[in-house]
Amino acid sequence: PGAAAAAWGGPGWRLPGRVLELVFSYLELRELRSCALVCKLWHRVLHGDENSEVWRSLAARCLAEEALRTDILCNVPTYKGKVRAFHHAFSTNDCSRNVYIKKNGFTLHRNPIAQSTDGARTKIGFSEGRHAWEVWWEGPLGTVAVIGIATKRAAMQCQGYVALLGSDDQSWGWNLVDNNLLHNGEVNGSFPQCNNAPKYQIGERIRVILDMEDKTLAFERGYEFLGVAFRGLPKVCLYPAVSAVYGNTEVTLVYLGKPLDG
């Protein structure tokens, strides 16, 4: 980057923004991160327009066509946001052996394995900042369907049909079947805290909000804030995660970025 700054970003030669944008559109994310550090001009070209040709081209290369042409990313308005969501999606290397990530890159499919509970974590966890993501089931919930967060040490598979996410001190979960909050193998009360709380409906998008500054985990349904579910989270790296038991059920997770206040 230093040499590039001297050659391209110095006062003697400044390429027009449109030319820089065209050049950057051929680079991968790691290279773009380095370019953004070269000078203010390059940073402005890269981050000034999240729908620029740079991010449009990168999205076309790294995202599956299905993810771009369906409504999976309908709540991620920019191409830069779509690229970011892909890099925060479920990990193909950090999930139960009984699940796989579909070609769209965002949906987990649980194989019909008897007497097994299976989960998955995302590729990237968080130890600071505020983050939001959406999760929704595209098949039957079964007896247990849990969304929440987990450390790297939390198990992603176990025998029987149990609430895996929340079964130890390394994970925190909300069981959508019975509306119970789970942590350290115990029920931490019902959620949301209201009389006759509605049960989850298949296809309904739940927004999860992790605040590592306040150390809280909260949920929204249909843009209705349901409240804070967990407080006093540890200052460790926490990953969005899910666990499921029903054969052939599918769960989609999409990272949205910093949550909007209000």
Short mmCIF file of all heavy atoms in Angstrom, two decimals, residues 92 95-102 107-120 137 139-142 144 156-158 160-161 242-251:
data_model
loop_
_atom_site.label_atom_id
_atom_site.label_comp_id
_atom_site.label_asym_id
_atom_site.label_seq_id
_atom_site.Cartn_x
_atom_site.Cartn_y
_atom_site.Cartn_z
N THR A 92 -19.19 -23.35 6.90
CA THR A 92 -19.27 -24.74 6.45
C THR A 92 -18.33 -25.64 7.25
O THR A 92 -18.44 -26.87 7.18
CB THR A 92 -18.92 -24.85 4.96
OG1 THR A 92 -17.60 -24.32 4.75
CG2 THR A 92 -19.91 -24.06 4.11
N CYS A 95 -19.88 -26.50 12.00
CA CYS A 95 -21.26 -26.93 12.17
C CYS A 95 -21.30 -28.43 12.41
O CYS A 95 -20.29 -29.13 12.22
CB CYS A 95 -22.11 -26.56 10.96
SG CYS A 95 -21.51 -27.25 9.39
N SER A 96 -22.44 -28.93 12.81
CA SER A 96 -22.60 -30.37 13.00
C SER A 96 -22.37 -31.11 11.69
O SER A 96 -22.66 -30.60 10.61
CB SER A 96 -24.01 -30.66 13.52
OG SER A 96 -24.30 -32.04 13.42
N ARG A 97 -21.89 -32.34 11.80
CA ARG A 97 -21.69 -33.17 10.60
C ARG A 97 -23.02 -33.55 9.96
O ARG A 97 -23.04 -34.05 8.83
CB ARG A 97 -20.92 -34.44 10.97
CG ARG A 97 -21.66 -35.36 11.94
CD ARG A 97 -20.83 -36.59 12.27
NE ARG A 97 -21.51 -37.49 13.20
CZ ARG A 97 -21.44 -37.39 14.51
NH1 ARG A 97 -20.72 -36.40 15.05
NH2 ARG A 97 -22.08 -38.24 15.29
N ASN A 98 -24.12 -33.32 10.68
CA ASN A 98 -25.44 -33.69 10.17
C ASN A 98 -26.14 -32.55 9.45
O ASN A 98 -27.32 -32.67 9.10
CB ASN A 98 -26.33 -34.19 11.32
CG ASN A 98 -25.76 -35.44 11.96
OD1 ASN A 98 -25.19 -36.30 11.29
ND2 ASN A 98 -25.90 -35.54 13.27
N VAL A 99 -25.45 -31.45 9.23
CA VAL A 99 -26.04 -30.34 8.49
C VAL A 99 -25.09 -29.94 7.37
O VAL A 99 -23.90 -30.26 7.40
CB VAL A 99 -26.32 -29.11 9.39
CG1 VAL A 99 -27.15 -29.49 10.60
CG2 VAL A 99 -25.02 -28.44 9.83
N TYR A 100 -25.62 -29.24 6.40
CA TYR A 100 -24.77 -28.64 5.37
C TYR A 100 -25.34 -27.28 5.00
O TYR A 100 -26.53 -27.01 5.22
CB TYR A 100 -24.65 -29.54 4.14
CG TYR A 100 -25.93 -29.75 3.35
CD1 TYR A 100 -26.33 -28.86 2.35
CD2 TYR A 100 -26.74 -30.86 3.60
CE1 TYR A 100 -27.50 -29.06 1.63
CE2 TYR A 100 -27.91 -31.07 2.87
CZ TYR A 100 -28.28 -30.17 1.89
OH TYR A 100 -29.44 -30.38 1.17
N ILE A 101 -24.49 -26.43 4.47
CA ILE A 101 -24.89 -25.09 4.06
C ILE A 101 -25.22 -25.15 2.57
O ILE A 101 -24.41 -25.58 1.76
CB ILE A 101 -23.79 -24.05 4.33
CG1 ILE A 101 -23.28 -24.18 5.78
CG2 ILE A 101 -24.32 -22.65 4.05
CD1 ILE A 101 -24.35 -24.09 6.84
N LYS A 102 -26.42 -24.69 2.22
CA LYS A 102 -26.87 -24.77 0.84
C LYS A 102 -26.05 -23.84 -0.06
O LYS A 102 -25.32 -22.97 0.41
CB LYS A 102 -28.35 -24.42 0.77
CG LYS A 102 -29.25 -25.42 1.51
CD LYS A 102 -30.71 -25.06 1.40
CE LYS A 102 -31.22 -25.23 -0.03
NZ LYS A 102 -32.69 -24.98 -0.13
N THR A 107 -28.23 -20.58 4.01
CA THR A 107 -29.24 -21.48 4.56
C THR A 107 -28.63 -22.80 5.00
O THR A 107 -27.93 -23.47 4.23
CB THR A 107 -30.35 -21.73 3.53
OG1 THR A 107 -30.94 -20.49 3.17
CG2 THR A 107 -31.43 -22.64 4.12
N LEU A 108 -28.95 -23.18 6.23
CA LEU A 108 -28.53 -24.46 6.80
C LEU A 108 -29.62 -25.50 6.53
O LEU A 108 -30.81 -25.22 6.71
CB LEU A 108 -28.31 -24.29 8.30
CG LEU A 108 -28.12 -25.48 9.24
CD1 LEU A 108 -27.38 -25.02 10.48
CD2 LEU A 108 -29.44 -26.14 9.65
N HIS A 109 -29.23 -26.69 6.10
CA HIS A 109 -30.15 -27.81 5.92
C HIS A 109 -29.75 -28.92 6.88
O HIS A 109 -28.61 -29.38 6.85
CB HIS A 109 -30.10 -28.32 4.48
CG HIS A 109 -31.04 -29.47 4.22
ND1 HIS A 109 -32.25 -29.31 3.58
CD2 HIS A 109 -30.95 -30.80 4.53
CE1 HIS A 109 -32.86 -30.48 3.50
NE2 HIS A 109 -32.09 -31.40 4.08
N ARG A 110 -30.69 -29.34 7.72
CA ARG A 110 -30.40 -30.45 8.64
C ARG A 110 -30.88 -31.75 8.03
O ARG A 110 -32.04 -31.90 7.67
CB ARG A 110 -31.10 -30.24 9.99
CG ARG A 110 -30.76 -31.36 10.98
CD ARG A 110 -31.63 -31.37 12.22
NE ARG A 110 -31.27 -32.50 13.07
CZ ARG A 110 -31.78 -33.72 12.95
NH1 ARG A 110 -32.66 -33.97 12.01
NH2 ARG A 110 -31.39 -34.70 13.75
N ASN A 111 -29.96 -32.71 7.91
CA ASN A 111 -30.31 -34.01 7.37
C ASN A 111 -31.20 -34.77 8.36
O ASN A 111 -31.14 -34.53 9.58
CB ASN A 111 -29.04 -34.83 7.08
CG ASN A 111 -28.25 -34.25 5.93
OD1 ASN A 111 -28.82 -33.80 4.94
ND2 ASN A 111 -26.92 -34.25 6.05
N PRO A 112 -32.03 -35.71 7.88
CA PRO A 112 -32.94 -36.45 8.76
C PRO A 112 -32.23 -37.55 9.55
O PRO A 112 -32.37 -38.75 9.26
CB PRO A 112 -33.96 -37.02 7.78
CG PRO A 112 -33.21 -37.17 6.50
CD PRO A 112 -32.25 -36.01 6.45
N ILE A 113 -31.46 -37.14 10.54
CA ILE A 113 -30.74 -38.07 11.40
C ILE A 113 -31.50 -38.24 12.71
O ILE A 113 -31.80 -37.25 13.39
CB ILE A 113 -29.31 -37.55 11.68
CG1 ILE A 113 -28.57 -37.27 10.37
CG2 ILE A 113 -28.55 -38.55 12.54
CD1 ILE A 113 -28.39 -38.48 9.49
N ALA A 114 -31.80 -39.48 13.07
CA ALA A 114 -32.58 -39.74 14.28
C ALA A 114 -31.76 -39.49 15.54
O ALA A 114 -30.54 -39.72 15.56
CB ALA A 114 -33.10 -41.17 14.28
N GLN A 115 -32.44 -39.01 16.58
CA GLN A 115 -31.84 -38.83 17.91
C GLN A 115 -30.55 -38.01 17.87
O GLN A 115 -29.51 -38.41 18.41
CB GLN A 115 -31.60 -40.18 18.57
CG GLN A 115 -32.86 -40.92 18.94
CD GLN A 115 -33.71 -40.12 19.94
OE1 GLN A 115 -33.21 -39.55 20.91
NE2 GLN A 115 -35.02 -40.08 19.69
N SER A 116 -30.62 -36.87 17.21
CA SER A 116 -29.47 -35.97 17.16
C SER A 116 -29.96 -34.53 17.14
O SER A 116 -30.97 -34.22 16.51
CB SER A 116 -28.62 -36.24 15.92
OG SER A 116 -27.51 -35.36 15.85
N THR A 117 -29.27 -33.68 17.86
CA THR A 117 -29.51 -32.24 17.79
C THR A 117 -28.30 -31.61 17.14
O THR A 117 -27.15 -31.91 17.52
CB THR A 117 -29.74 -31.64 19.18
OG1 THR A 117 -30.87 -32.27 19.78
CG2 THR A 117 -29.99 -30.14 19.09
N ASP A 118 -28.53 -30.73 16.18
CA ASP A 118 -27.44 -30.24 15.34
C ASP A 118 -27.47 -28.73 15.20
O ASP A 118 -28.54 -28.13 15.06
CB ASP A 118 -27.54 -30.89 13.96
CG ASP A 118 -27.60 -32.41 14.07
OD1 ASP A 118 -26.55 -33.01 14.32
OD2 ASP A 118 -28.71 -32.97 13.93
N GLY A 119 -26.30 -28.12 15.24
CA GLY A 119 -26.22 -26.67 15.19
C GLY A 119 -25.13 -26.17 14.27
O GLY A 119 -24.38 -26.95 13.67
N ALA A 120 -25.05 -24.85 14.18
CA ALA A 120 -24.02 -24.22 13.35
C ALA A 120 -23.74 -22.82 13.89
O ALA A 120 -24.63 -22.17 14.44
CB ALA A 120 -24.45 -24.15 11.90
N TRP A 137 -36.83 -19.86 10.12
CA TRP A 137 -37.00 -21.28 9.80
C TRP A 137 -37.81 -21.42 8.51
O TRP A 137 -38.80 -20.72 8.32
CB TRP A 137 -37.74 -21.99 10.92
CG TRP A 137 -36.90 -22.98 11.70
CD1 TRP A 137 -36.99 -24.34 11.64
CD2 TRP A 137 -35.88 -22.70 12.66
NE1 TRP A 137 -36.08 -24.92 12.50
CE2 TRP A 137 -35.39 -23.93 13.14
CE3 TRP A 137 -35.32 -21.52 13.16
CZ2 TRP A 137 -34.38 -24.02 14.10
CZ3 TRP A 137 -34.32 -21.59 14.11
CH2 TRP A 137 -33.86 -22.83 14.57
N GLY A 139 -38.84 -24.57 7.50
CA GLY A 139 -39.39 -25.91 7.62
C GLY A 139 -39.88 -26.09 9.04
O GLY A 139 -39.74 -25.18 9.87
N PRO A 140 -40.48 -27.25 9.36
CA PRO A 140 -41.02 -27.47 10.71
C PRO A 140 -39.98 -27.25 11.80
O PRO A 140 -38.79 -27.54 11.61
CB PRO A 140 -41.48 -28.93 10.66
CG PRO A 140 -41.74 -29.20 9.21
CD PRO A 140 -40.71 -28.40 8.47
N LEU A 141 -40.42 -26.74 12.93
CA LEU A 141 -39.52 -26.49 14.05
C LEU A 141 -39.15 -27.79 14.77
O LEU A 141 -38.06 -27.89 15.33
CB LEU A 141 -40.17 -25.54 15.06
CG LEU A 141 -40.54 -24.14 14.57
CD1 LEU A 141 -41.13 -23.34 15.72
CD2 LEU A 141 -39.33 -23.42 13.99
N GLY A 142 -40.07 -28.74 14.78
CA GLY A 142 -39.83 -29.93 15.59
C GLY A 142 -40.08 -29.63 17.06
O GLY A 142 -40.79 -28.68 17.40
N VAL A 144 -37.68 -28.83 19.29
CA VAL A 144 -36.75 -27.81 19.78
C VAL A 144 -36.17 -27.04 18.59
O VAL A 144 -35.69 -27.66 17.64
CB VAL A 144 -35.59 -28.43 20.59
CG1 VAL A 144 -34.74 -27.32 21.21
CG2 VAL A 144 -36.09 -29.36 21.66
N MET A 156 -21.70 -28.18 18.89
CA MET A 156 -22.65 -27.99 17.80
C MET A 156 -23.36 -29.29 17.42
O MET A 156 -24.07 -29.34 16.42
CB MET A 156 -21.93 -27.41 16.57
CG MET A 156 -21.51 -25.96 16.72
SD MET A 156 -22.93 -24.80 16.78
CE MET A 156 -22.89 -24.29 18.51
N GLN A 157 -23.21 -30.33 18.23
CA GLN A 157 -23.93 -31.58 18.01
C GLN A 157 -23.98 -32.36 19.31
O GLN A 157 -23.03 -32.35 20.09
CB GLN A 157 -23.25 -32.42 16.93
CG GLN A 157 -24.06 -33.60 16.40
CD GLN A 157 -23.93 -34.85 17.26
OE1 GLN A 157 -22.91 -35.08 17.90
NE2 GLN A 157 -24.98 -35.69 17.27
N CYS A 158 -25.12 -33.02 19.55
CA CYS A 158 -25.24 -33.90 20.72
C CYS A 158 -26.32 -34.94 20.46
O CYS A 158 -27.12 -34.81 19.52
CB CYS A 158 -25.54 -33.11 21.99
SG CYS A 158 -27.20 -32.40 22.04
N GLY A 160 -29.76 -37.13 21.11
CA GLY A 160 -31.09 -36.83 21.58
C GLY A 160 -31.64 -35.54 20.98
O GLY A 160 -30.95 -34.83 20.24
N TYR A 161 -32.89 -35.25 21.31
CA TYR A 161 -33.54 -34.02 20.86
C TYR A 161 -33.61 -33.06 22.04
O TYR A 161 -34.49 -33.16 22.90
CB TYR A 161 -34.95 -34.32 20.34
CG TYR A 161 -34.97 -35.31 19.20
CD1 TYR A 161 -35.87 -36.36 19.18
CD2 TYR A 161 -34.08 -35.18 18.13
CE1 TYR A 161 -35.90 -37.26 18.13
CE2 TYR A 161 -34.10 -36.08 17.07
CZ TYR A 161 -35.01 -37.13 17.07
OH TYR A 161 -35.03 -38.02 16.04
N VAL A 242 -27.42 -21.33 15.78
CA VAL A 242 -28.75 -21.95 15.86
C VAL A 242 -28.56 -23.43 16.17
O VAL A 242 -27.49 -24.00 15.93
CB VAL A 242 -29.56 -21.80 14.56
CG1 VAL A 242 -29.71 -20.34 14.18
CG2 VAL A 242 -28.93 -22.60 13.42
N SER A 243 -29.62 -24.08 16.67
CA SER A 243 -29.63 -25.53 16.78
C SER A 243 -31.01 -26.05 16.43
O SER A 243 -32.02 -25.40 16.74
CB SER A 243 -29.21 -26.00 18.18
OG SER A 243 -30.14 -25.60 19.17
N ALA A 244 -31.06 -27.21 15.77
CA ALA A 244 -32.32 -27.75 15.24
C ALA A 244 -32.35 -29.26 15.41
O ALA A 244 -31.31 -29.92 15.54
CB ALA A 244 -32.46 -27.38 13.76
N VAL A 245 -33.57 -29.82 15.36
CA VAL A 245 -33.74 -31.27 15.52
C VAL A 245 -34.56 -31.90 14.40
O VAL A 245 -34.50 -33.11 14.20
CB VAL A 245 -34.41 -31.61 16.88
CG1 VAL A 245 -33.55 -31.12 18.04
CG2 VAL A 245 -35.82 -31.03 16.97
N TYR A 246 -35.35 -31.13 13.69
CA TYR A 246 -36.28 -31.71 12.72
C TYR A 246 -35.57 -32.05 11.41
O TYR A 246 -34.85 -31.21 10.85
CB TYR A 246 -37.44 -30.74 12.45
CG TYR A 246 -38.64 -31.39 11.83
CD1 TYR A 246 -39.65 -31.93 12.62
CD2 TYR A 246 -38.78 -31.48 10.45
CE1 TYR A 246 -40.77 -32.54 12.06
CE2 TYR A 246 -39.87 -32.08 9.87
CZ TYR A 246 -40.87 -32.62 10.68
OH TYR A 246 -41.96 -33.22 10.11
N GLY A 247 -35.80 -33.26 10.91
CA GLY A 247 -35.17 -33.70 9.68
C GLY A 247 -35.60 -32.88 8.48
O GLY A 247 -36.79 -32.65 8.28
N ASN A 248 -34.63 -32.47 7.68
CA ASN A 248 -34.82 -31.69 6.45
C ASN A 248 -35.32 -30.27 6.70
O ASN A 248 -35.69 -29.57 5.74
CB ASN A 248 -35.77 -32.40 5.48
CG ASN A 248 -35.15 -33.67 4.91
OD1 ASN A 248 -33.95 -33.70 4.61
ND2 ASN A 248 -35.95 -34.72 4.80
N THR A 249 -35.36 -29.83 7.95
CA THR A 249 -35.69 -28.44 8.18
C THR A 249 -34.55 -27.55 7.71
O THR A 249 -33.39 -28.00 7.63
CB THR A 249 -36.00 -28.16 9.67
OG1 THR A 249 -36.65 -26.89 9.78
CG2 THR A 249 -34.72 -28.13 10.50
N GLU A 250 -34.85 -26.29 7.39
CA GLU A 250 -33.83 -25.36 6.92
C GLU A 250 -33.93 -24.05 7.69
O GLU A 250 -35.03 -23.58 8.00
CB GLU A 250 -33.99 -25.12 5.42
CG GLU A 250 -33.75 -26.39 4.61
CD GLU A 250 -33.76 -26.18 3.11
OE1 GLU A 250 -34.33 -25.17 2.66
OE2 GLU A 250 -33.19 -27.04 2.39
N VAL A 251 -32.77 -23.48 7.99
CA VAL A 251 -32.70 -22.24 8.74
C VAL A 251 -31.78 -21.28 8.00
O VAL A 251 -30.67 -21.65 7.60
CB VAL A 251 -32.13 -22.48 10.17
CG1 VAL A 251 -32.26 -21.21 10.99
CG2 VAL A 251 -32.83 -23.65 10.85
#
